[in-house]
Amino acid sequence: MPAVSYAAPLQAGDEATISQDQADTRGLIQDIVVMARRREESAQSTPVSISAISQQQLTDLNIVRIEGITQLVPSLRITQASGSGNAPAIFIRGIGTLSTALYVEPAVGVYVDGVYTPRPSGNTFDLPDVSSIEVLRGPQGTLFGRNTTGGAILLSTGNPTEEFGGKVSFSYGSREEVIGSAILQLGKIGNTPFSVKLTAQSHSRDGWVKTPNHSPSQWGGALDSYGFGAAIRGELGNLTVDLRGRYNKIISYTGWEALSATPVGRAYFANAATASGIAFPIGVGPRDYSYRDPRTSGKSVVETKGGVLTLDHHVSDAFSIKSITAYNTIDQNLRGNLGGGATRGTVANPAVAGQPVEFVSVHVTPTNPGQQRQFTQELQLLGDVGDFNYLVGLYYYDESVDETITTILNSPLSATSAIRLNRSTTYVIDSKSYAAFVQAGWKPSFADGKLEIVGGIRYTEDKKALNSSSVSTTITTTRATQSRKDKWHNVGWLGSISYKVTPDILLYARAASAYRSGGYNAPTVGVPPFDPEKAISYEAGFKADLFDRHLRFNAAAYQTDYDDLQVNGYNIATNTNLLTNAGKARYRGFEIETQVAFGGFRVDGNVGYVDPVYKEYILAVGGVPTNVASQARFSNIPKWTYHAGAQYTLETADVGSLTLRGDFTGKSNSSTYTILSQAPNTAQVPFFGKESNYSARLIWAFDLAGKKMTAQVFGENLSNNRYLTFASDFGAVLAGTYNRPRYYGVALGLDF
């Protein structure tokens, strides 16, 4: 259910906390305490479009990676961007980016324990110890800073406890998928005020895209991941000290398939396959079959490490000071056969003179090492003074990324010959960002706390420096270098007004702006930087708990206006991905979330609708800047997202509780490219495909020797619905990846 965590039912205007088990027994819908405005407050009393997901819900629905939450949140789409080690590509209300490269700034900010983690490949970890997830929909530029033009996702891990205890879980499913995790609470350290927690997780599975001459553990879709975490927390009087660290490593294999091609591309690879006896199938799938080019292992490795020190000094209700200091790193090497196949064909410029027949594919990445280093510091001053509450903050962000991208590309010249391009690009980007922000709320006494007016402002300055070089070889070798520095700044703002008609019904309206930093198309030397993306959003909604908290109904309608919208596309002429500023766009939509709870019966659902329109899209046509807004489509943006779930829990005195749950999640079709006239192969596959996922599970919870045990049998994607998760046009061939087929499994859990 989209709003279940630790409970805080509202009664007569008060917020009293009860346990989850107590609330379930009484058949109530729980509220949740959130940090959407950087302070603890009830989700139903917060004038923000927010969906909150608890640790229990993640466990019940077997959600172990961040893309799994896409079923629970309206207007949210998360897919695995398979070109980047299965990094998540996140869209909220239609805003996001498919590129997960280290040089690209995302449009949705992801925060782990209050720390911004900007690179998608740094968010490939499993979720063994996440206590709650908050999805904030719409621009969040005042409190959460740059790169939140789409929204923000806040992940919080559990605190160490003073008592010894823990939790272990294990699941086994289709394609030899094995997931194990452990949380160990060591309790207090001697007579000190500090408590310690340790976590560990492991996750492996075979792939489903068959790759000849390789074991299933190396087929497309396969992964092998493990991670560790530690936390120490203690209270020294009014000072809380919290230190956390985590490590994760994931090895994955992508399963690209060739979907369409130009006439000469189709003829060349077909003739090469016939002559060599090595298949190179081209056609819309999924076929779940791909021949791997021997020039790449196809093995992508991403290793992440991070630590955060949080100091919280509560001087009084009127004044607290909070410091968040963090350091994160990413080390990765992405390898893959992005062209979707390989065979032996004739090339005009063979690697070995006199041997014109060699392996050919439209896009191969033999090696792509990269690293990111990030230091952040945030200082917050906050408190309540009379009818007012306030938050003042300073923020510093220092990041360095460097990457070397080595690619081999074959471009057919005719039905019998192609030319090979070897290219290696190295770039370094140093970024620094400075921000200052303030937000204040007023709850006038004359309104008995029912009315709240909030205003906020944030100033951000970004500085970036780029150094890049590229070496391209066909018959001749071309070298290029680039070095430049740029600076951008922005003033963001927020205003909201809310009113509690009753203790359980909130009406609100808000307007906010947000900003996504400008940057560089680093692998393409000589291309000028793209400008920041700016957004202004207007939203109105209500949150209602009705019939003595047995029915929840939340709804919001919004309009967001974007200027210099950053749009990703593949440049066929240069065989590179490019981010460009499309122009102006308007997004309108609405979202509804509802729950019904009565005794052991519960139903939940959500629906989101977004209708984006380009107001201006400037593109060079024949060298002349032209507004092509009428032709432009919105790539990877389903207009409709929807989810419905129902469960019934039977409580017994002898065997514990049995819960039967079923879910349906769907997303409407969406375009694969923005300007199809620029990508003739994509025009043959214009849509990603409609998403629909039926899942079912039976959960048995019981006590064993005084310990809480759970056992579960589940099935996902029961209708075996298949759709594209990623697609890219490489000139001669369009290739893409498909979602996971139907799968089943069992899971066990023990709390001690």
Side-chain angles (χ1 to χ4, degrees):
M1 289 158 285
V4 178
S5 184
Y6 49 98
L10 305 181
Q11 296 177 349
D14 296 327
E15 297 181 10
T17 301
I18 65 174
S19 72
Q20 172 110 23
D21 291 339
Q22 287 175 316
D24 286 343
T25 301
R26 293 164 55 184
L28 301 177
I29 298 173
Q30 286 86 59
D31 204 350
I32 179 173
V33 177
V34 297
M35 294 292 292
R37 297 195 294 180
R38 296 298 186 97
R39 60 174 62 228
E40 292 186 356
E41 56 188 340
S42 157
Q44 287 296 100
S45 300
T46 304
V48 178
S49 289
I50 176 175
S51 295
I53 304 164
S54 71
Q55 183 184 57
Q56 187 62 50
Q57 192 176 8
L58 296 173
T59 300
D60 288 348
L61 297 181
N62 286 94
I63 297 174
V64 296
R65 297 174 64 79
I66 192 172
E67 56 265 23
I69 69 173
T70 187
Q71 61 182 298
L72 300 174
V73 182
S75 302
L76 173 67
R77 186 173 196 253
I78 306 178
T79 60
Q80 291 183 346
S82 298
S84 298
N86 288 311
I90 305 173
F91 283 71
I92 297 179
R93 290 182 174 177
I95 296 297
T97 178
L98 278 174
S99 177
T100 57
L102 290 177
Y103 62 88
V104 176
E105 302 280 2
V108 175
V110 177
Y111 288 76
V112 180
D113 289 328
V115 178
Y116 177 49
T117 59
R119 304 300 160 199
S121 57
N123 296 318
T124 57
F125 50 82
D126 281 14
L127 308 172
D129 187 31
V130 172
S131 59
S132 66
I133 299 177
E134 301 170 36
V135 181
L136 314 183
R137 301 187 296 275
Q140 306 291 327
T142 305
L143 294 182
F144 293 96
R146 61 207 281 273
N147 303 340
T148 56
T149 52
I153 298 179
L154 317 181
L155 295 91
S156 300
T157 59
N159 290 332
T161 63
E162 295 185 359
E163 299 79 24
F164 179 84
K167 178 179 181 179
V168 293
S169 62
F170 172 84
S171 71
Y172 177 80
S174 305
R175 298 172 189 88
E176 304 297 325
E177 183 166 34
V178 178
I179 305 172
S181 67
I183 303 170
L184 180 61
Q185 298 282 4
L186 297 180
K188 276 196 172 184
I189 305 174
N191 295 322
T192 74
F194 293 97
S195 301
V196 175
K197 178 192 68 175
L198 302 175
T199 63
Q201 59 85 18
S202 176
H203 183 184
S204 64
R205 71 174 179 228
D206 289 344
W208 55 85
V209 181
K210 184 177 181 180
T211 308
N213 304 319
H214 292 80
S215 67
S217 64
Q218 296 177 326
W219 290 359
L223 65 81
D224 188 8
S225 170
Y226 58 89
F228 307 95
I232 180 169
R233 180 184 176 93
E235 295 185 1
L236 306 174
N238 292 329
L239 175 65
T240 300
V241 179
D242 190 304
L243 177 63
R244 306 187 183 208
R246 61 185 175 93
Y247 169 85
N248 193 79
K249 183 174 183 178
I250 179 171
I251 299 170
S252 61
Y253 296 83
T254 56
W256 288 73
E257 301 180 38
L259 307 177
S260 63
T262 61
V264 66
R266 190 179 295 273
Y268 172 77
F269 287 108
N271 290 337
T274 300
S276 66
I278 301 174
F280 195 105
I282 299 175
V284 179
R287 294 180 303 275
D288 290 339
Y289 173 89
S290 180
Y291 199 98
R292 185 170 298 152
D293 194 308
R295 294 172 294 184
T296 179
S297 67
K299 176 182 178 180
S300 291
V301 182
V302 179
E303 190 176 26
T304 61
K305 290 172 281 190
V308 53
L309 172 63
T310 303
L311 304 175
D312 193 345
H313 188 201
H314 181 76
V315 179
S316 68
D317 290 342
F319 180 74
S320 295
I321 182 169
K322 188 174 186 178
S323 169
I324 306 173
T325 308
Y327 184 73
N328 292 329
T329 70
I330 302 172
D331 291 278
Q332 63 183 39
N333 196 347
L334 311 180
R335 309 174 183 91
N337 183 24
L338 278 64
T343 187
R344 293 180 63 85
T346 302
V347 297
N349 56 336
V352 180
Q355 299 182 24
V357 178
E358 61 186 38
F359 270 95
V360 291
S361 181
V362 289
H363 195 296
V364 175
T365 306
T367 182
N368 179 188
Q371 66 176 12
Q372 182 247 20
R373 302 290 183 264
Q374 168 195 336
F375 173 79
T376 59
Q377 172 63 54
E378 183 166 354
L379 185 67
Q380 300 174 10
L381 310 177
L382 63 160
D384 298 276
V385 180
D387 293 345
F388 294 89
N389 62 74
Y390 68 91
L391 173 62
V392 179
L394 297 173
Y395 182 74
Y396 173 68
Y397 174 85
D398 187 350
E399 181 192 49
S400 177
V401 299
D402 64 80
E403 189 174 16
T404 298
I405 307 171
T406 301
T407 54
I408 305 173
L409 304 100
N410 289 108
S411 299
L413 302 173
S414 67
T416 56
S417 181
I419 192 166
R420 175 178 34 77
L421 168 63
N422 289 70
R423 182 168 59 202
S424 179
T425 301
T426 298
Y427 70 85
V428 178
I429 299 177
D430 293 316
S431 304
K432 286 183 171 59
S433 182
Y434 311 84
F437 56 94
V438 59
Q439 184 162 301
W442 177 43
K443 287 187 175 182
S445 301
F446 66 78
D448 296 325
K450 298 177 181 179
L451 174 68
E452 183 185 36
I453 299 174
V454 177
I457 192 168
R458 185 184 188 106
Y459 175 79
T460 302
E461 181 176 279
D462 284 324
K463 296 180 179 180
K464 291 190 177 184
L466 167 70
N467 288 284
S468 62
S469 62
S470 179
V471 179
S472 301
T473 301
T474 52
I475 297 174
T476 60
T477 298
T478 302
R479 302 178 186 274
T481 61
Q482 183 177 12
S483 179
R484 64 176 299 145
K485 294 181 179 180
D486 293 273
K487 182 168 67 175
W488 300 276
H489 63 87
N490 180 70
V491 177
W493 52 268
L494 163 78
S496 74
I497 182 170
S498 60
Y499 186 77
K500 279 199 167 186
V501 180
T502 73
D504 292 330
I505 299 177
L506 175 75
L507 304 179
Y508 72 91
R510 72 192 300 265
S513 72
Y515 150 87
R516 177 155 55 144
S517 175
Y520 308 110
N521 286 292
T524 308
V525 177
V527 174
F530 48 86
D531 292 326
E533 172 183 285
K534 298 182 179 181
I536 298 178
S537 178
Y538 311 93
E539 180 178 322
F542 66 87
K543 300 182 178 184
D545 285 334
L546 306 172
F547 303 110
D548 195 24
R549 298 182 61 79
H550 290 291
L551 169 65
R552 173 167 295 164
F553 193 82
N554 297 344
Y558 64 89
Q559 174 175 312
T560 308
D561 297 316
Y562 289 88
D563 195 10
D564 284 327
L565 184 69
Q566 294 175 11
V567 178
N568 183 68
Y570 193 84
N571 188 316
I572 296 175
T574 61
N575 289 303
T576 54
N577 275 297
L578 287 177
L579 267 176
T580 59
N581 295 109
K584 303 179 186 299
R586 183 204 69 209
Y587 288 61
R588 286 178 178 168
F590 65 85
E591 293 142 357
I592 297 173
E593 294 179 285
T594 186
Q595 297 177 55
V596 177
F598 188 80
F601 181 69
R602 293 177 181 268
V603 176
D604 60 273
N606 67 67
V607 61
Y609 174 78
V610 59
D611 182 22
V613 175
Y614 279 114
K615 308 297 288 186
E616 179 183 84
Y617 195 124
I618 304 301
L619 186 69
V621 179
V624 178
T626 305
N627 185 5
V628 295
S630 61
Q631 307 172 33
R633 302 185 181 189
F634 288 83
S635 175
N636 202 48
I637 301 176
K639 283 194 172 185
W640 290 96
T641 63
Y642 34 87
H643 169 80
Q647 70 180 52
Y648 181 75
T649 300
L650 176 64
E651 300 281 354
T652 70
D654 298 327
V655 298
S657 66
L658 293 172
T659 300
L660 178 64
R661 180 174 178 92
D663 290 270
F664 168 71
T665 302
K667 291 175 173 51
S668 60
N669 223 333
S670 57
S671 297
T672 52
Y673 205 73
T674 307
I675 305 291
L676 289 179
S677 60
Q678 288 188 314
N681 295 324
T682 310
Q684 302 174 47
V685 189
F687 297 104
F688 280 96
K690 185 178 179 180
E691 300 180 32
S692 62
N693 176 29
Y694 295 90
S695 66
R697 61 200 72 246
L698 178 62
I699 306 171
W700 177 28
F702 58 97
D703 288 336
L704 181 65
K707 308 300 182 183
K708 182 180 178 182
M709 292 282 297
T710 57
Q712 180 179 160
V713 179
F714 63 89
E716 295 283 351
N717 192 15
L718 296 177
S719 64
N720 203 32
N721 171 242
R722 307 298 300 279
Y723 55 87
L724 283 169
T725 62
F726 199 83
S728 193
D729 196 331
F730 298 109
V733 170
L734 167 76
T737 60
Y738 285 87
N739 69 308
R740 187 178 181 180
R742 177 192 300 115
Y743 62 100
Y744 306 94
V746 295
L748 296 172
L750 167 66
D751 289 0
F752 60 90

